[in-house]
């Protein structure tokens, strides 16, 4: 059974940094692109970034490009999101999701990031 | 880039069929057959119910169906049930710098 478990969320001040992690199990992690998707409180879903199987291609939504960095460790079956220069508008639940073809078929439970002073 | 456009809410009675729309542009829905739909209950994780416009993942009820015409994708739920009351989000691949677009979501109310 596919399992994705995010961690690393919390309260951070504007301008601060946070690193999210996603532990994957139940499938061959190295065979799949992986994504981060976020959802601000009471709002809709927003794709944030994704990364190719070997980590050599990364894509970002315009609002986070240059501030966030996605990475992965296939030996540890783990996905990461390094978030720098955080802003209040980055406050959201961050989901780790598996890319399958042109969709996200499995999602983790999410981790809440709150940017506030 | 703006999100895909979905109606804020739709409603229907048990047993009825409803259709909700998702409108994009030539750079997303109109250009590719890579539309997905997700169902999300309050406080819960989104669940994939339709991918590649009209395909259902294993285990998803055949009461859910998807289609596309031009720049608009649609999700139809037939034989509406109380358990279908949830938020529904569409998503599409995009040729813009934002590779993946989501709609703003539609809240389905079962009357």
């Amino acid at each position: 059974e596919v399992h994705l478990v995010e961690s690393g969320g919390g309260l951070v001040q504007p301008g601060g940094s946070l690193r999210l992690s996603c532990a994957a199990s139940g499938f061959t992690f190295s065979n799949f692109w992986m994504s981060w998707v976020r959802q601000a409180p009471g709002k809709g879903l927003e794709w944030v970034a994704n990364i190719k199987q070997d980590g050599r291609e990364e894509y970002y939504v315009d609002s986070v490009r240059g501030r966030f960095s996605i990475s992965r460790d296939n030996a540890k079956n783990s996905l990461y999101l390094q978030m720098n220069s955080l802003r209040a508008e980055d406050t959201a639940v961050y989901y780790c999701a598996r890319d399958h073809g042109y969709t996200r078929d499995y999602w983790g439970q999410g981790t809440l990031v709150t940017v506030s002073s | 880039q703006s999100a895909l456009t979905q109606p804020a809410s739709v409603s229907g009675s048990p047993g009825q069929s409803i259709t909700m729309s998702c409108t994009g542009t030539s750079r997303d829905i109109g250009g590719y057959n890579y539309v997905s739909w997700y169902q999300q209950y309050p406080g819960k994780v989104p669940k994939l119910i339709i991918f590649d416009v009209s395909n259902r993942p294993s285990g998803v009820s055949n009461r859910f169906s998807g289609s596309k015409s031009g720049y608009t994708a649609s999700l139809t739920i037939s034989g509406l049930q109380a358990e279908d009351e949830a938020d529904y989000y569409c998503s599409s691949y995009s040729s813009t710098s934002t590779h993946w677009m989501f709609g703003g979501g539609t809240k389905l109310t079962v009357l």
Side-chain angles (χ1 to χ4, degrees), chain B:
Chain B
Q1 291 82 9
S2 300
L4 306 175
T5 300
Q6 296 183 249
S9 63
V10 298
S11 62
S13 299
Q16 286 186 329
S17 291
I18 64 95
T19 296
M20 60 183 74
S21 62
C22 172
T23 302
T25 69
S26 61
R27 305 186 74 175
D28 36 70
I29 292 177
Y32 306 92
N33 289 322
Y34 299 138
V35 178
S36 297
W37 290 89
Y38 299 88
Q39 176 191 60
Q40 186 181 34
Y41 295 110
K44 299 299 184 182
V45 178
K47 174 189 175 183
L48 178 67
I49 56 174
I50 295 288
F51 67 96
D52 295 350
V53 175
S54 59
N55 293 287
R56 280 188 308 276
S58 173
V60 172
S61 171
N62 59 10
R63 297 187 300 105
F64 295 91
S65 62
S67 62
K68 190 189 89 166
S69 178
Y71 298 165
T72 299
S74 299
L75 174 70
T76 297
I77 308 175
S78 59
L80 208 56
Q81 299 178 2
E83 67 197 45
D84 298 330
E85 187 163 292
D87 294 323
Y88 292 83
Y89 293 91
C90 62
S91 177
S92 173
Y93 174 76
S94 170
S95 63
T96 65
S97 57
T98 297
H99 286 243
W100 296 100
M101 310 290 289
F102 279 96
T106 295
K107 180 177 180 58
L108 170 63
T109 300
V110 180
L111 302 171

Side-chain angles (χ1 to χ4, degrees), chain A:
Chain A
E1 181 185 0
V2 173
H3 224 58
L4 299 168
V5 180
E6 302 90 339
S7 60
L11 175 63
V12 60
Q13 292 188 340
S17 298
L18 213 54
R19 189 194 196 207
L20 306 183
S21 299
C22 171
S25 61
F27 66 102
T28 304
F29 181 72
S30 59
N31 285 354
F32 292 86
W33 284 73
M34 296 294 296
S35 281
W36 288 99
V37 179
R38 67 184 179 184
Q39 186 170 33
K43 302 297 184 182
L45 300 169
E46 180 183 40
W47 171 79
V48 174
N50 67 350
I51 186 168
K52 192 177 179 180
Q53 291 95 326
D54 59 4
R56 295 186 177 184
E57 285 185 45
E58 310 159 21
Y59 299 96
Y60 300 90
V61 67
D62 288 348
S63 59
V64 309
R65 190 174 294 113
R67 300 188 298 124
F68 289 13
S69 177
I70 188 172
S71 62
R72 64 192 296 162
D73 185 336
N74 288 341
K76 295 183 177 180
N77 290 337
S78 293
L79 177 71
Y80 307 100
L81 185 68
Q82 177 67 43
M83 304 185 294
N84 299 328
S85 303
L86 282 161
R87 307 167 180 167
E89 54 265 35
D90 295 319
T91 294
V93 173
Y94 284 73
Y95 296 102
C96 162
R98 187 179 82 167
D99 289 9
H100 190 193
Y102 288 86
T103 194
R104 319 244 105 79
D105 61 350
Y106 287 95
W107 299 54
Q109 291 297 310
T111 187
L112 176 62
V113 172
T114 303
V115 184
S116 174
S117 54

